[in-house]
Every structure is written in C-alpha cells, then in structure tokens.
Amino acid sequence: MHELGIVYEVINIVDRFVQENQLIKVDKIVLEVGQLSQAIPRFLEECYPAAVSETAYEDTKLEIIVLPANAKCKTCNEVYNIIEHRKICPECRGDDYELISGQEFNIKEIVAC
Ligand SMILES: [Zn+2]
C-alpha cells in the first residue's frame, strides 16, 4: 500500500505551507483525488490516522473529494463516466474518447485557524 507514503508527502507539503504562512493549527486538509489517480481514497483515509498520530496534525481532519473519471465521446460528444460505462459510450457505443477528468491528485484546501 503506497498510500501511506502519499499521505506523508501531503503532510510534508502542508507542513511547509504552515511554516511559510506561520499558521498555528490546521483544522482540515481537503484533497481532490481522481477516480483514475494512483491513490485510492479509502486507503488514504485508512492510513491518515497513523500518519498524523502524535504529530501537530493529530486533530486535523482529512476530507477527500473524489473526482469522476469523465470522458467525452469523440463520436457524439456525450460526456460519460468511463468506469461506470466500462469505457464504452452509453449513447453511441463507441470507445473513442478524450479524458476530461479523473487523474487529479491535488491538495485543494488547507483550512487553518
Ligand atoms: Zn458516443
């Protein structure tokens, strides 16, 4: 499970942000994770408590916003979720698509108080 490493990396980035902005306490970290990202949200959530245990982020909440793996059909322009539809356009049954979202991994927000 490489999610623990990803969580540590996120904490490091947050840590730098906290120092640069001289923040006292981080209330919440919001991540944006695409459905096709290498990180699995459920595993991130499972790793998180261990990663922040006995650190300054022990009380910091983790929120994960999952972005859908959406693609646009190159044949009929239908936008559809390629995981739900197994990469086949529900409108025209074509499989030629352009990915619009789903590969993101961003720290969307650091909520500090
Ligand atoms: Zn189509």
Side-chain angles (χ1 to χ4, degrees), residues 73 75-78 89 91-94:
C73 175
T75 310
C76 72
N77 287 332
E78 173 79 3
C89 173
E91 271 305 300
C92 71
R93 316 304 298 170

Side-chain angles (χ1 to χ4, degrees), residues 4 13 21 37-38 42:
L4 187 59
I13 294 168
N21 294 280
S37 153
Q38 296 300 307
R42 190 167 53 86

Side-chain angles (χ1 to χ4, degrees), residues 7-84:
V7 171
Y8 279 128
E9 188 54 34
V10 167
I11 304 273
N12 279 340
I13 294 168
V14 172
D15 222 15
R16 272 200 297 274
F17 181 84
V18 165
Q19 282 167 17
E20 279 166 16
N21 294 280
Q22 298 178 335
L23 303 173
I24 310 283
K25 196 169 184 296
V26 179
D27 195 37
K28 187 165 78 171
I29 301 168
V30 184
L31 297 180
E32 257 181 354
V33 182
Q35 277 186 325
L36 300 174
S37 153
Q38 296 300 307
I40 299 166
R42 190 167 53 86
F43 290 168
L44 292 171
E45 277 166 358
E46 281 173 11
C47 291
Y48 182 77
V52 296
S53 174
E54 292 174 26
T55 71
Y57 303 102
E58 196 154 26
D59 298 325
T60 303
K61 290 184 276 297
L62 178 72
E63 184 181 327
I64 298 176
I65 299 168
V66 179
L67 299 178
N70 278 348
K72 190 165 141 188
C73 175
K74 284 187 181 173
T75 310
C76 72
N77 287 332
E78 173 79 3
V79 172
Y80 63 101
N81 187 302
I82 61 166
I83 292 175
E84 281 168 23

